[in-house]
Amino acid sequence: MSSTYLIITFCSLIFSNLNSDEITTKPNNSLNFNIIHNDKIVGNLQAKQTIENSKINYQSISTINTRIIKEIEVNYKYDVTYENNLLKRANVLIDVNNRAHADITTSWQESYYQITKNSKNEKVVEGHITYATILLYFKEPIDIEKCYSEQDGSFNTIVALGNHIYKKINAKDQENIYHYKDGFLKKAEINGGLVNFEIVAQN
């Protein structure tokens, strides 16, 4: 299994970080995390939420630099928009070593969501989406049993473990553990397959 695949898998599990220059409205929340592998900080993660009338926008951009077999840098950018508490559009851009790797978009089309990858239609998701994975940073998943993955167009299972701790199981049966305080994510233990990571809030 290639080092590139391992890091991309990890990034798809944690959903990544944010560029403040791209937000023009006043942010309601701004969160910062360290990404840790083998007790070493290998990246940081910022996530921001902005509200404008009935729309809520979430943006994130992350850069991870690490060595697994070889040096690799992965950048993830999420841009997700909700309106009236329903997902309207999500775009995920992935760069590997400064080269475009994937461009995935989920867009509401009146009665269904169209998922495209690199401008090609991949599949359709029917029904409204109320909780996507990027919300895991900002909103403790109380009474939430599933969340939508903007990266691959699938649904993950959420299991409450008690004491504000939750387990997320993705389509590949990989499990991540999320810890919350006052409704916000404080720490997550990420199973990337052969590689495990943690993300830890900076404050």
Side-chain angles (χ1 to χ4, degrees):
M1 183 178 294
S2 71
S3 59
T4 300
Y5 175 82
L6 291 173
I7 298 299
I8 291 172
T9 298
F10 160 67
C11 290
S12 71
L13 295 172
I14 68 170
F15 346 118
S16 298
N17 159 7
L18 191 97
N19 187 341
S20 60
D21 292 339
E22 297 176 355
I23 295 181
T24 58
T25 56
K26 182 180 179 180
N28 295 88
N29 290 306
S30 180
L31 307 176
N32 295 279
F33 300 86
N34 290 323
I35 301 171
I36 299 171
H37 173 59
N38 286 339
D39 298 322
K40 179 182 178 181
I41 296 175
V42 295
N44 61 19
L45 185 153
Q46 297 175 314
K48 289 186 180 180
Q49 173 199 63
T50 60
I51 299 176
E52 185 176 8
N53 299 321
S54 62
K55 292 184 179 181
I56 303 177
N57 180 252
Y58 301 90
Q59 288 186 319
S60 74
I61 297 171
S62 60
T63 299
I64 300 171
N65 292 281
T66 190
R67 181 179 181 84
I68 302 175
I69 302 175
K70 65 179 181 179
E71 294 289 339
I72 186 169
E73 177 181 307
V74 179
N75 300 300
Y76 250 64
K77 176 182 176 182
Y78 274 65
D79 191 344
V80 181
T81 300
Y82 273 75
E83 187 171 1
N84 297 320
N85 297 316
L86 298 176
L87 179 67
K88 288 298 181 180
R89 189 176 187 277
N91 179 242
V92 180
L93 298 174
I94 308 169
D95 291 337
V96 179
N97 292 335
N98 295 316
R99 298 181 63 180
H101 178 78
D103 181 347
I104 306 101
T105 298
T106 301
S107 58
W108 177 246
Q109 304 291 326
E110 300 300 331
S111 61
Y112 62 92
Y113 293 95
Q114 178 66 62
I115 291 87
T116 64
K117 183 173 182 180
N118 299 328
S119 300
K120 296 181 180 180
N121 289 344
E122 288 280 303
K123 60 181 176 179
V124 165
V125 172
E126 297 182 349
H128 290 291
I129 295 172
T130 58
Y131 196 99
T133 52
I134 200 167
L135 295 184
L136 285 166
Y137 293 126
F138 298 96
K139 183 179 180 182
E140 181 177 348
I142 298 172
D143 297 326
I144 300 295
E145 296 181 351
K146 66 178 182 178
C147 64
Y148 175 73
S149 170
E150 304 93 325
Q151 195 271 335
D152 61 16
S154 66
F155 286 90
N156 297 172
T157 300
I158 302 289
V159 179
L161 302 179
N163 198 29
H164 304 285
I165 302 172
Y166 300 82
K167 176 168 63 177
K168 182 173 73 68
I169 307 168
N170 70 10
K172 297 180 180 180
D173 289 328
Q174 294 171 318
E175 300 180 357
N176 301 333
I177 306 296
Y178 297 83
H179 303 254
Y180 290 82
K181 183 178 180 181
D182 299 326
F184 292 95
L185 182 66
K186 290 300 177 182
K187 183 177 75 170
E189 300 153 22
I190 308 300
N191 174 7
L194 296 179
V195 183
N196 295 325
F197 293 83
E198 286 189 346
I199 60 173
V200 179
Q202 294 181 5
N203 50 32

